[in-house]
Amino acid sequence: MGAGPELDFRSCLFLSCWLGEGTAGLRSSWVLLEEKRNGLGKTERGGLSEEKDTRWKMLSSGVCTSTVQLPGKVVVVTGANTGIGKETAKELARRGARVYLACRDVQKAELVAREIQMMTGNQQVLVRKLDLADTKSIRAFAKRFLEEEKHLHILINNAGVMMCPYSKTADGFEMHIGVNHLGHFLLTHLLLEKLKESAPSRVVNVSSLAHHLGRIHFHNLQGEKFYQSGLAYCHSKLANILFTQELARRLKASGSGVTVYSLHPGTVSSELVRHSALMRWIWWLFSFLIKTPHQGAQTSLYCALTEGLEALSGSHFSDCQVTWVSAQARNETVARRLWDVSCDLLGIPVD
């Protein structure tokens, strides 16, 4: 019985850190949790008081206010059959883009595509098979896309896995680094010339606040010497940011007109935590603090749509504004080495 409150506190601390709210966030989360349990903080009309409502908004802030429309634009969103990927694809379709849902589960994606078509009136929502855990599937997707389309204006690398039991991709890569980093690295490489031809164009990489706990262990990149599923996820999210920064550096040097951004979407209610019973429990316990997929998609949309972001290529965003990254994520030497190692693993010539 005595372990209950202690576990709640640890969970609250974890969530606050995950949300990036620090000590103030911890206090707010804990107070709101107690008020929710005790039925406090209510007005006579049954809603949150103004003070508590302000705190609630602080935990779920960040809205893309861009009014940019996308007729004639072509967009690819990976992992678009659920969660923030689905919400991102829906909004881009609503703005008139031709949207490709690049998903492993084609049957589920077809249902989502029809839903988006009905909701937006945009029939140009297409489904293509993409399994980021298999480089053959990635190459097949890219080959078909390049044969079908003359342009690509926005690539949103959204798909990901989190806290999987130790397993490997079809090519022998540890699942987190293989799907979250290497899969998107290869996809971006294969589509990069099309992005350049379509410039101005953008690449948006969905990372996480969890990158702060990440490290790139080149001697253990595949987790064969030691492995912890939570940290494996953190390492892969750090790799996303390092990839963003190195790609941005290279594209700036070539004057390509392609810009790149990484982002933390917030703590979002999604299927990403399906592999962890503990995380599902924490998400359930703090459901009143966790963003909806619609809220979680706002920063992806901000990076994809907002005008005038070109000078910020390579930057990391959270709640629709530039935010800080860890010292590891600012290490240019590690970023360049990771680029070279990734190219070597994927059979891409190193330039």
Side-chain angles (χ1 to χ4, degrees), residues 69 111 132 149 170 177-178 182 238 315 319:
Q69 298 299 304
L111 293 174
L132 289 162
E149 292 291 344
I177 201 73
L182 292 171
L238 172 60
S315 297
D319 282 331

Side-chain angles (χ1 to χ4, degrees), residues 26-84:
L26 173 57
R27 273 197 304 271
S28 297
S29 299
W30 185 250
V31 169
L32 284 168
L33 175 62
E34 289 302 307
E35 289 171 348
K36 182 179 177 70
R37 286 175 172 169
N38 298 325
L40 302 177
K42 304 282 187 177
T43 66
E44 292 181 357
R45 291 173 296 179
L48 284 174
S49 68
E50 183 177 352
E51 180 183 357
K52 306 307 182 294
D53 187 53
T54 300
R55 271 188 265 173
W56 161 255
K57 290 177 180 177
M58 286 174 61
L59 291 170
S60 58
S61 61
V63 176
C64 176
T65 59
S66 170
T67 59
V68 168
Q69 298 299 304
L70 301 172
K73 302 298 184 182
V74 181
V75 180
V76 171
V77 184
T78 69
N81 59 358
T82 187
I84 64 175

Side-chain angles (χ1 to χ4, degrees), residues 163-177:
M163 298 184 73
C164 303
Y166 186 77
S167 56
K168 291 188 176 182
T169 68
D171 302 274
F173 307 136
E174 185 277 315
M175 190 61 69
H176 292 90
I177 201 73

Side-chain angles (χ1 to χ4, degrees), residues 4 7 18 72 111 115 143 149 201 218 224 226 271 321:
L7 183 59
W18 192 278
L111 293 174
E115 177 187 334
K143 182 175 184 295
E149 292 291 344
S201 54
F218 289 104
E224 294 174 329
F226 52 88
E271 295 180 4
Q321 58 186 343

Side-chain angles (χ1 to χ4, degrees), residues 221-237:
L221 204 59
Q222 308 306 333
E224 294 174 329
K225 296 183 179 179
F226 52 88
Y227 179 79
Q228 201 282 327
S229 62
L231 288 177
Y233 174 74
C234 298
H235 302 333
S236 71
K237 294 292 100 178

